[in-house]
Amino acid sequence: MRPRNPANRALPVNLYKNGRYYQYRHPQTGRYHGMGTDRAAAIRAAHQLNAQLIEPISLTERVLGTKRQAPSTEPTLLFSDWLDTYATLLDERGLSSLSRYNRQRQVERIRAALGALDLSTITTRRIAEFLDAQTPRQANAYRSVLNDCFNEAIAKGHITTNPVTVTKNKRVATQRQRLTLEDFQRIHAASPIHLQNALDLGLITLQRREDLVSLSWSDLRDGVLELQQHKTGTRLRITVTKPLARVLDTCRSNLDSPWIIHYRRGSPHTRAGDPIAKQQLSSMFRAVRDSLGLYAELPIRQRPSFHEIRSLGARLYEARGMDPQTLLGHKSRQMTEVYLDSRREEWLVASPAVDILENFRESFDKPS
């Protein structure tokens, strides 16, 4: 018999603790019943229920075999207990802090819905019901976690089949409009200098907001811009080619700021030279976009955001015959946003040799 989880070891048989709450597992039906948060009351009730529901067997009957001993009521492995083990396995993968936080939240949501079940009794139907209760995007993310979770359980020998495998990803409708090159130019021309710098650097390096605002001049070493992406943990060395050097030159100021992207002027809430928060990049981008009346016919959630610059730059590189995957920080075209890489300690090397800004550089100097 598998030893009980430490949290349940001192409890009567059939009584389990799940978070702050206690649950009693009916020895005949296998169903769980809530017993509240009062430990003493739950223990008393469990003893009373066991006395009524578990048929006693004498020692003589056990020896002579005249009456079959009742089967053990201990579950093979509670899913909640397995999720504890799975969380430990995730910690060993060396996920980035953001990925680890998101995965922990997903695991806890799964635990709340399915944790009281035996791991070996979870069916595809139960998985499908859980996924159907989510939005399409959330369902696909949870499906990915569950699929990985059950595969790990198979690898450890707890189960032999994965109930998630035959479920399907839900179709997620693309909501946000792509940013066009023409509209990028218009937004750029109407933006303050610090936002222009962020737009230029984002377009040529293809990095996310949080990576752009974290860049400092100390990351520039021997003609290489080094960074570690916050979302994936991917380490990237970007060669400072002439096109990128021109962008970096425009980012320099006489403020002696350590940050490549920084405020050029102070305000009631910021000082000149301060770094720009990623949320501020988004809000400034939205303000300029909306002031120009761009995409006004679309609902707000469908209008292109600052993040769409990443897609625009990738499309421009591809149109010029350069594969943008390395600059994006991906190691393959099949990589997803929840990509987990056990070899992320190695550096990826990228060289933005194609000047994707040359065709509209003159427009940057035009007033709005």
Side-chain angles (χ1 to χ4, degrees), residues 325-354:
Q325 283 302 128
T326 306
L327 273 174
L328 289 168
H330 299 170
K331 292 186 178 180
S332 71
R333 288 189 176 272
Q334 290 74 36
M335 190 191 76
T336 65
E337 290 189 352
V338 290
Y339 174 75
L340 307 175
D341 180 19
S342 59
R343 298 179 59 193
R344 66 165 49 88
E345 288 304 314
E346 67 183 25
W347 290 89
L348 300 181
V349 179
S351 179
V354 177

Short mmCIF file of all heavy atoms in Angstrom, two decimals, residues 325-354:
data_model
loop_
_atom_site.label_atom_id
_atom_site.label_comp_id
_atom_site.label_asym_id
_atom_site.label_seq_id
_atom_site.Cartn_x
_atom_site.Cartn_y
_atom_site.Cartn_z
N GLN A 325 13.37 34.13 -36.89
CA GLN A 325 13.16 33.27 -35.72
C GLN A 325 14.17 33.51 -34.61
O GLN A 325 13.83 33.53 -33.44
CB GLN A 325 13.19 31.80 -36.12
CG GLN A 325 11.92 31.30 -36.80
CD GLN A 325 10.68 31.48 -35.94
OE1 GLN A 325 9.71 32.04 -36.41
NE2 GLN A 325 10.70 31.03 -34.72
N THR A 326 15.44 33.68 -34.97
CA THR A 326 16.47 33.84 -33.94
C THR A 326 16.30 35.15 -33.19
O THR A 326 16.40 35.19 -31.96
CB THR A 326 17.88 33.76 -34.56
OG1 THR A 326 17.99 32.55 -35.30
CG2 THR A 326 18.94 33.76 -33.47
N LEU A 327 16.02 36.22 -33.91
CA LEU A 327 15.78 37.51 -33.24
C LEU A 327 14.57 37.42 -32.32
O LEU A 327 14.54 38.04 -31.25
CB LEU A 327 15.56 38.61 -34.28
CG LEU A 327 16.81 39.32 -34.81
CD1 LEU A 327 16.44 40.28 -35.92
CD2 LEU A 327 17.55 40.05 -33.69
N LEU A 328 13.56 36.66 -32.71
CA LEU A 328 12.39 36.50 -31.87
C LEU A 328 12.71 35.73 -30.60
O LEU A 328 11.96 35.77 -29.63
CB LEU A 328 11.28 35.78 -32.64
CG LEU A 328 10.60 36.59 -33.75
CD1 LEU A 328 9.74 35.67 -34.63
CD2 LEU A 328 9.75 37.71 -33.18
N GLY A 329 13.83 35.00 -30.62
CA GLY A 329 14.21 34.21 -29.46
C GLY A 329 13.71 32.79 -29.51
O GLY A 329 13.82 32.05 -28.55
N HIS A 330 13.14 32.39 -30.66
CA HIS A 330 12.63 31.04 -30.82
C HIS A 330 13.71 30.15 -31.41
O HIS A 330 14.53 30.61 -32.20
CB HIS A 330 11.43 31.02 -31.76
CG HIS A 330 10.28 31.85 -31.26
ND1 HIS A 330 9.19 32.13 -32.04
CD2 HIS A 330 10.07 32.46 -30.07
CE1 HIS A 330 8.34 32.88 -31.33
NE2 HIS A 330 8.86 33.09 -30.15
N LYS A 331 13.70 28.88 -31.07
CA LYS A 331 14.65 27.94 -31.65
C LYS A 331 14.04 27.11 -32.76
O LYS A 331 14.74 26.38 -33.44
CB LYS A 331 15.20 27.02 -30.54
CG LYS A 331 16.06 27.78 -29.54
CD LYS A 331 16.70 26.84 -28.56
CE LYS A 331 17.60 27.60 -27.60
NZ LYS A 331 18.24 26.70 -26.62
N SER A 332 12.73 27.19 -32.94
CA SER A 332 12.08 26.50 -34.04
C SER A 332 10.77 27.21 -34.33
O SER A 332 10.21 27.91 -33.48
CB SER A 332 11.81 25.03 -33.68
OG SER A 332 10.79 24.95 -32.72
N ARG A 333 10.26 27.01 -35.52
CA ARG A 333 9.00 27.63 -35.89
C ARG A 333 7.82 27.01 -35.15
O ARG A 333 6.74 27.58 -35.12
CB ARG A 333 8.79 27.52 -37.41
CG ARG A 333 9.72 28.44 -38.20
CD ARG A 333 9.34 28.47 -39.66
NE ARG A 333 10.16 29.42 -40.38
CZ ARG A 333 9.87 30.70 -40.53
NH1 ARG A 333 8.78 31.19 -39.98
NH2 ARG A 333 10.66 31.52 -41.21
N GLN A 334 8.02 25.83 -34.60
CA GLN A 334 6.95 25.15 -33.89
C GLN A 334 6.86 25.58 -32.42
O GLN A 334 5.96 25.14 -31.70
CB GLN A 334 7.15 23.62 -33.95
CG GLN A 334 6.93 23.01 -35.33
CD GLN A 334 8.05 23.31 -36.29
OE1 GLN A 334 9.21 23.36 -35.91
NE2 GLN A 334 7.72 23.53 -37.55
N MET A 335 7.78 26.43 -32.00
CA MET A 335 7.77 26.81 -30.59
C MET A 335 6.54 27.65 -30.25
O MET A 335 6.17 28.53 -31.00
CB MET A 335 9.03 27.62 -30.26
CG MET A 335 9.20 27.84 -28.76
SD MET A 335 10.49 29.04 -28.43
CE MET A 335 9.60 30.53 -28.84
N THR A 336 5.94 27.39 -29.13
CA THR A 336 4.79 28.15 -28.68
C THR A 336 5.21 29.13 -27.60
O THR A 336 6.36 29.13 -27.15
CB THR A 336 3.71 27.22 -28.10
OG1 THR A 336 4.25 26.60 -26.93
CG2 THR A 336 3.30 26.15 -29.08
N GLU A 337 4.25 29.98 -27.15
CA GLU A 337 4.57 30.97 -26.13
C GLU A 337 4.83 30.35 -24.77
O GLU A 337 5.33 31.02 -23.87
CB GLU A 337 3.46 32.02 -26.03
CG GLU A 337 3.40 32.92 -27.23
CD GLU A 337 2.46 34.08 -27.05
OE1 GLU A 337 1.74 34.09 -26.03
OE2 GLU A 337 2.45 34.98 -27.90
N VAL A 338 4.43 29.08 -24.62
CA VAL A 338 4.74 28.40 -23.36
C VAL A 338 5.92 27.48 -23.54
O VAL A 338 6.07 26.50 -22.83
CB VAL A 338 3.52 27.61 -22.85
CG1 VAL A 338 2.44 28.55 -22.39
CG2 VAL A 338 3.00 26.64 -23.91
N TYR A 339 6.76 27.83 -24.54
CA TYR A 339 7.91 27.00 -24.87
C TYR A 339 8.83 26.83 -23.67
O TYR A 339 9.21 27.78 -23.02
CB TYR A 339 8.65 27.66 -26.03
CG TYR A 339 9.95 27.02 -26.42
CD1 TYR A 339 9.95 25.83 -27.13
CD2 TYR A 339 11.15 27.61 -26.09
CE1 TYR A 339 11.14 25.25 -27.51
CE2 TYR A 339 12.35 27.03 -26.46
CZ TYR A 339 12.34 25.86 -27.17
OH TYR A 339 13.51 25.28 -27.54
N LEU A 340 9.18 25.59 -23.37
CA LEU A 340 10.09 25.28 -22.27
C LEU A 340 11.35 24.67 -22.85
O LEU A 340 11.30 23.67 -23.56
CB LEU A 340 9.43 24.28 -21.30
CG LEU A 340 8.06 24.68 -20.78
CD1 LEU A 340 7.48 23.55 -19.92
CD2 LEU A 340 8.15 25.96 -19.97
N ASP A 341 12.51 25.22 -22.49
CA ASP A 341 13.76 24.80 -23.10
C ASP A 341 14.77 24.42 -22.02
O ASP A 341 15.21 25.28 -21.27
CB ASP A 341 14.32 25.92 -23.98
CG ASP A 341 15.62 25.53 -24.64
OD1 ASP A 341 15.92 24.32 -24.73
OD2 ASP A 341 16.35 26.43 -25.07
N SER A 342 15.15 23.17 -21.96
CA SER A 342 16.12 22.72 -20.97
C SER A 342 17.53 23.18 -21.31
O SER A 342 18.43 23.10 -20.48
CB SER A 342 16.10 21.19 -20.86
OG SER A 342 16.42 20.61 -22.11
N ARG A 343 17.74 23.69 -22.54
CA ARG A 343 19.08 24.11 -22.95
C ARG A 343 19.16 25.62 -23.08
O ARG A 343 20.00 26.15 -23.80
CB ARG A 343 19.42 23.48 -24.30
CG ARG A 343 19.47 21.97 -24.28
CD ARG A 343 19.78 21.43 -25.64
NE ARG A 343 21.06 21.93 -26.12
CZ ARG A 343 21.47 21.81 -27.38
NH1 ARG A 343 20.70 21.24 -28.27
NH2 ARG A 343 22.64 22.29 -27.74
N ARG A 344 18.29 26.36 -22.38
CA ARG A 344 18.24 27.80 -22.55
C ARG A 344 19.49 28.51 -22.04
O ARG A 344 19.65 29.69 -22.22
CB ARG A 344 17.01 28.39 -21.86
CG ARG A 344 17.00 28.28 -20.36
CD ARG A 344 15.93 29.22 -19.80
NE ARG A 344 14.69 29.07 -20.48
CZ ARG A 344 13.75 28.20 -20.15
NH1 ARG A 344 13.93 27.39 -19.13
NH2 ARG A 344 12.64 28.12 -20.83
N GLU A 345 20.41 27.79 -21.37
CA GLU A 345 21.62 28.44 -20.90
C GLU A 345 22.56 28.82 -22.05
O GLU A 345 23.46 29.61 -21.88
CB GLU A 345 22.36 27.52 -19.92
CG GLU A 345 21.66 27.38 -18.58
CD GLU A 345 21.44 28.73 -17.92
OE1 GLU A 345 22.37 29.55 -17.89
OE2 GLU A 345 20.33 28.98 -17.45
N GLU A 346 22.34 28.19 -23.22
CA GLU A 346 23.19 28.57 -24.33
C GLU A 346 22.67 29.87 -24.95
O GLU A 346 21.50 30.20 -24.87
CB GLU A 346 23.20 27.47 -25.40
CG GLU A 346 21.87 27.28 -26.10
CD GLU A 346 21.91 26.14 -27.09
OE1 GLU A 346 22.73 25.24 -26.91
OE2 GLU A 346 21.11 26.16 -28.04
N TRP A 347 23.60 30.63 -25.54
CA TRP A 347 23.24 31.91 -26.15
C TRP A 347 22.85 31.69 -27.60
O TRP A 347 23.49 30.93 -28.32
CB TRP A 347 24.41 32.88 -26.10
CG TRP A 347 24.73 33.37 -24.73
CD1 TRP A 347 25.57 32.80 -23.82
CD2 TRP A 347 24.19 34.53 -24.09
NE1 TRP A 347 25.60 33.54 -22.67
CE2 TRP A 347 24.77 34.62 -22.81
CE3 TRP A 347 23.29 35.52 -24.48
CZ2 TRP A 347 24.47 35.64 -21.92
CZ3 TRP A 347 22.99 36.54 -23.60
CH2 TRP A 347 23.57 36.59 -22.34
N LEU A 348 21.79 32.37 -28.04
CA LEU A 348 21.47 32.42 -29.46
C LEU A 348 22.10 33.68 -30.04
O LEU A 348 22.12 34.72 -29.40
CB LEU A 348 19.94 32.46 -29.66
CG LEU A 348 19.15 31.28 -29.11
CD1 LEU A 348 17.67 31.48 -29.42
CD2 LEU A 348 19.64 29.98 -29.71
N VAL A 349 22.62 33.57 -31.24
CA VAL A 349 23.31 34.69 -31.87
C VAL A 349 22.50 35.15 -33.07
O VAL A 349 22.13 34.35 -33.92
CB VAL A 349 24.73 34.29 -32.31
CG1 VAL A 349 25.43 35.47 -32.99
CG2 VAL A 349 25.55 33.81 -31.12
N ALA A 350 22.20 36.45 -33.12
CA ALA A 350 21.41 37.01 -34.21
C ALA A 350 22.10 38.23 -34.76
O ALA A 350 22.81 38.94 -34.05
CB ALA A 350 20.00 37.37 -33.73
N SER A 351 21.89 38.48 -36.06
CA SER A 351 22.51 39.63 -36.70
C SER A 351 21.49 40.32 -37.59
O SER A 351 21.17 39.83 -38.66
CB SER A 351 23.71 39.17 -37.54
OG SER A 351 24.31 40.27 -38.19
N PRO A 352 20.96 41.48 -37.15
CA PRO A 352 19.97 42.21 -37.97
C PRO A 352 20.66 42.96 -39.09
O PRO A 352 20.73 44.19 -39.10
CB PRO A 352 19.32 43.15 -36.96
CG PRO A 352 20.39 43.41 -35.95
CD PRO A 352 21.18 42.13 -35.85
N ALA A 353 21.20 42.20 -40.07
CA ALA A 353 22.01 42.82 -41.12
C ALA A 353 21.18 43.58 -42.14
O ALA A 353 21.68 44.46 -42.83
CB ALA A 353 22.83 41.73 -41.82
N VAL A 354 19.91 43.23 -42.25
CA VAL A 354 19.05 43.89 -43.22
C VAL A 354 18.46 45.14 -42.59
O VAL A 354 17.92 45.10 -41.50
CB VAL A 354 17.92 42.94 -43.68
CG1 VAL A 354 16.98 43.66 -44.63
CG2 VAL A 354 18.52 41.71 -44.34
#
